[in-house]
Amino acid sequence: MSQPKTRLPIIFILVTLILDAIGIGLILPVMPDLIRDIEGVGLSDAAIWGGILATSFAVMQFLCGPLVGNLSDRYGRRPVLLISLATMALDYVVMALAGSIWLLFAARIVGGITAATQATAGAFIADISPPERKAARFGLVGATFGIGFVLGPLIGGFLGELGPRAPFWAAAGLATANLIFGYFVLPETVTDRIRRPFDWRRANPLGAFREMGRLPGVRPLLTLFFLYECAMFIYPAIWAYFTQYRFGWSTGTIGISLAMFGIGIAAVQGGLIRVILRVLGERGTVWYGLSYNFLAFLIIGLVDNSTAILLMTPLLALGAVVTPAILGLMSRAAQDNQQGELQGAISSTRSVAMILSPIAMTQIFAAFTREGAPLILPGAPFLLAAGLMIACALVFVARRDSRAPA
């Protein structure tokens, strides 16, 4: 496609991916109030349901990513993307109207399926991009998550002041507007020349785990990566419940704090990480990040000062340097002909962490905040995350990787 003809479709794809990310961040500030409104339970029990809903979303996204991508190879990118957007808009309406927790649970399952369109969106970008422009355009795709995660909590927080259901009506309107836009500008890029039959074997999301056995040199680092991701997912999993319980924060304040964290992550990942890697190297960056996050989790878990924690929120991102450093070490430890296998293993490992962390963190929060608990300690999940940083450090010390840099 020529440049003028690709501009609008690319804008549509980027907006679609931003909406996917907004959908994740949008519900974080209002989910405690929405669950309490529906179920009439306390914050501790609401957190348990929040963990179940987050895990169900992550499970469906994990299971359906390869499936949706392979459906787009068979039936085309356009119908898969447009149907997903229409379903997303309807799903937000259902969440806005949900009168039972089970309807909300079903909506989160459907939301996880519709959020699995990243593979199709990426395939569309690849279809319409010449080789020399692919990297730059995929860079734009990567930036959409950061934009969406900043906008999502802000929208959810501010509109949540009008009621816990208001953000979902706004999200439904945005998805509908983008659906109409896409209907008029999105071409089909799958032709008979590249169309292929649907094959369940290619749609298997567990396939990447088989590859891990072929990567003995990076298995300890994958273990470290898994533990680290489980710890870092504490922020989307528990932040809204924790800050509302301990500090009485409103949805607006929670949204602002999450947006500040997202801006900090963008600044670190977008520029500061290069400086840190250049000064400390990959191994030094891992040690710095693990140490910083350990201290940050301890402070959050133990300090009972609302203003201090709010001011600290953007600074939490200064510890978000471990993942790029670990990825660099793993890439160097793997053989040249194993890089594709490595990326599949990394993606699957992150997905499992996204599934397990919310359910574990919310259960711990509930156990230490429920009425009658032997010890009231709302920061208990953050102390667990601090412990996971110690576990990461032990794995890093004990790893035996002959190809690891000294």
Side-chain angles (χ1 to χ4, degrees):
M1 287 186 183
S2 64
Q3 178 68 14
K5 290 184 179 180
T6 61
R7 184 177 294 112
L8 289 179
I10 288 175
I11 291 174
F12 165 77
I13 292 295
L14 295 179
V15 171
T16 299
L17 292 173
I18 289 173
L19 288 178
D20 283 347
I22 284 176
I24 297 172
L26 177 98
I27 70 170
L28 296 180
V30 298
M31 191 55 76
D33 289 342
L34 180 61
I35 295 173
R36 295 172 73 182
D37 180 57
I38 291 174
E39 283 291 280
V41 296
L43 196 58
S44 300
D45 291 328
I48 292 176
W49 273 112
I52 294 171
L53 295 173
T55 292
S56 65
F57 182 93
V59 167
M60 297 312 298
Q61 193 172 23
F62 170 61
L63 294 177
C64 295
L67 173 64
V68 172
N70 277 274
L71 285 173
S72 77
D73 286 340
R74 171 63 180 89
Y75 298 104
R77 321 291 186 216
R78 177 182 165 89
V80 168
L81 287 168
L82 293 182
I83 290 172
S84 294
L85 262 179
T87 307
M88 180 189 295
L90 181 60
D91 188 61
Y92 283 131
V93 171
V94 171
M95 294 186 73
L97 296 173
S100 75
I101 196 66
W102 296 110
L103 188 57
L104 198 61
F105 178 73
R108 281 288 80 193
I109 289 177
V110 174
I113 298 172
T114 61
T117 54
Q118 287 95 334
T120 304
F124 182 90
I125 292 292
D127 291 342
I128 66 173
S129 302
E132 68 275 9
R133 298 184 66 89
K134 288 183 186 291
R137 286 179 175 174
F138 277 117
L140 292 174
V141 170
T144 60
F145 182 82
I147 296 172
F149 193 78
V150 171
L151 293 178
L154 283 177
I155 295 172
F158 284 115
L159 292 181
E161 298 289 343
L162 303 176
R165 300 171 188 270
F168 299 103
W169 289 113
L174 289 172
T176 301
N178 195 42
L179 170 65
I180 295 170
F181 176 50
Y183 179 83
F184 289 105
V185 306
L186 189 67
E188 181 54 72
T189 58
V190 176
T191 64
D192 290 338
R193 182 181 64 83
I194 63 173
R195 192 185 309 274
R196 65 179 184 177
F198 180 81
D199 187 342
W200 279 106
R201 290 173 297 179
R202 286 195 296 265
N204 176 18
L206 302 176
F209 288 108
R210 294 195 300 266
E211 300 165 359
M212 293 184 186
R214 303 168 61 182
L215 298 165
V218 300
R219 275 183 291 189
L221 290 173
L222 279 171
T223 301
L224 191 162
F225 178 72
F226 170 74
L227 294 172
Y228 179 79
E229 291 289 293
C230 282
M232 296 306 289
F233 276 121
I234 191 173
Y235 292 115
I238 207 69
W239 187 255
Y241 304 94
F242 167 75
T243 54
Q244 186 177 131
Y245 182 95
R246 173 172 269 186
F247 307 124
W249 284 4
S250 67
T251 56
T253 304
I254 294 170
I256 291 173
S257 68
L258 287 169
M260 290 165 60
F261 180 70
I263 292 171
I265 290 288
V268 170
Q269 300 287 346
L272 188 58
I273 181 64
R274 297 183 181 89
V275 177
I276 295 175
L277 284 169
R278 186 168 60 248
V279 174
L280 300 179
E282 289 169 338
R283 288 174 58 84
T285 298
V286 171
W287 283 118
Y288 154 72
L290 294 179
S291 302
Y292 188 96
N293 288 317
F294 172 75
L295 292 174
F297 288 139
L298 278 184
I299 292 171
I300 297 172
L302 298 175
V303 172
D304 190 12
N305 187 303
S306 175
T307 303
I309 296 299
L310 182 60
L311 294 175
M312 182 182 171
T313 302
L315 301 178
L316 298 174
L318 292 174
V321 298
V322 176
T323 296
I326 295 175
L327 296 182
L329 287 171
M330 283 194 285
S331 180
R332 293 168 62 185
Q335 302 292 335
D336 290 341
N337 61 357
Q338 293 179 315
Q339 296 299 318
E341 296 173 4
L342 173 62
Q343 294 305 313
I346 289 170
S347 177
S348 294
T349 301
R350 177 182 279 119
S351 296
V352 173
M354 289 178 65
I355 291 168
L356 296 180
S357 183
I359 201 78
M361 296 300 181
T362 52
Q363 288 285 343
I364 292 170
F365 174 80
F368 283 89
T369 57
R370 187 177 283 115
E371 185 177 352
L375 175 64
I376 301 298
L377 185 62
F382 290 95
L383 300 182
L384 171 63
L388 288 175
M389 291 298 103
I390 295 176
C392 288
L394 293 175
V395 172
F396 198 45
V397 168
R399 91 192 212 280
R400 293 293 181 265
D401 183 358
S402 60
R403 296 195 66 204

